[in-house]
Amino acid sequence: MIDNLITALGAEFVQLSLTPIVIGILGAVACALPGNFLLLRRQALIGDAISHVVLPGIVAAFLVTGTITAVPMMIGAGGAAIVAVILIEIVKRLGRVEPGAAMGLVFTTLFAAGVLFLEMTDTSSVHIDVQHALLGNLESLIWFDAEGWQSLLDPVALATLPPQLPRLAVVLLAIVLFITLFWKELKISTFDAAFAEAIGIRTRVLGFALVVVTAIAAVAAFDAVGSIIVIAMFVCPPAAARLMTNQLGRQIGWSVAFAVISAVLGYVFAGYGPGWFGSPYAVSAAGMIATISGIILLLACLFGPQRKRTGQRAEA
């Protein structure tokens, strides 16, 4: 009887919880990796801006194509992200304002435009709304054809995985390859842009490539996990990792660990935490994952080894 109970619980976990947790992990890590370099370059708000501006791009893609399939949504969101980066540069140069002010102006304006488009157009029938944009649909990414752990080795069952999972896996792999291939260039240009220019590294091109990679991560994660997790993962795990170490390689390792912990604990607490206090309801997984990442950052601020040295630059 105990074996049957364990088998039944395992089958339920694989079907209902495994894929949301894995998708949450993939999205969190995909955002945390480029977030480390953005943080050290003092450009962390770029991830925040991009995660906001993809909303009008997604709405525009739906209005043009009439579908919510992956390719039009990715193209629309990616186009909006690139437009936002260009607008930030225009506002910064023509307005002669600080980069943070330019980013704040652009991403709030575009996000407000996206929300306005949602309210003015009939998108309710395809589940594009403000709540979906902010919180995603992580809880609904269920693996219906899974019958237990053995389904992980079943090609037929694997073919029915939620499409967000392989999409995020490919994006994460591409981000890892980008960082691996340009590791030396990214390190040098992050810590000393003038020296990087002097030895022939095209820092502007590399910086734009990093922003494009950031946009790809934000767009890929947006559909599954919403903008709340995307914003939190670009900032919280890298910032907490920065407070744990003064070396870039170790910082990236810490950030990945914090992203994974946030995704797993956040999903578990969202689904089962209220029940521990007698409540029959659950809370948003995206919101709880972001909350856990914020708690980890708070703990790092209070107890991290580097908390008194945050004014210093990290070491390569």
Side-chain angles (χ1 to χ4, degrees), residues 28-211:
V29 175
C31 294
L33 286 177
N36 285 282
F37 296 98
L38 295 176
L39 178 75
L40 294 174
R41 292 168 178 248
R42 304 184 187 277
Q43 297 177 333
L45 279 179
I46 287 182
D48 188 8
I50 291 173
S51 63
H52 278 78
V53 302
V54 296
L55 178 58
I58 290 175
V59 177
F62 168 73
L63 294 178
V64 172
T65 63
T67 64
I68 57 170
T69 55
V71 175
M73 297 296 103
M74 295 283 284
I75 293 175
I82 295 174
V83 168
V85 173
I86 296 174
L87 288 177
I88 288 171
E89 289 297 321
I90 292 175
V91 172
K92 185 172 65 175
R93 293 178 184 275
L94 297 183
R96 297 181 180 180
V97 297
E98 293 294 326
M103 286 186 286
L105 175 63
V106 171
F107 79 68
T108 53
T109 301
L110 291 180
F111 185 74
V115 174
L116 183 62
F117 289 158
L118 285 176
E119 296 297 331
M120 294 179 61
T121 57
D122 184 16
T123 58
S124 58
S125 60
V126 291
H127 306 291
I128 300 179
D129 51 32
V130 175
Q131 181 178 358
H132 181 275
L134 293 176
L135 302 178
N137 61 339
L138 192 59
E139 296 89 344
S140 66
L141 301 179
I142 299 172
W143 189 8
F144 289 101
D145 290 351
E147 298 179 355
W149 293 104
Q150 67 274 14
S151 297
L152 296 174
L153 303 177
D154 184 0
V156 176
L158 291 174
T160 62
L161 281 168
Q164 289 85 352
L165 195 154
R167 188 185 310 154
L168 277 171
V170 171
V171 169
L172 177 58
L173 178 60
I175 293 172
V176 171
L177 289 176
F178 171 77
I179 294 176
T180 302
L181 291 175
F182 297 98
W183 175 254
K184 181 180 71 175
E185 291 82 0
L186 285 169
K187 284 199 303 182
I188 297 174
S189 62
T190 296
F191 295 113
D192 196 336
F195 176 70
E197 287 278 2
I199 63 175
I201 297 176
R202 302 176 67 180
T203 56
R204 290 184 179 274
V205 175
L206 189 61
F208 182 75
L210 179 61
V211 172

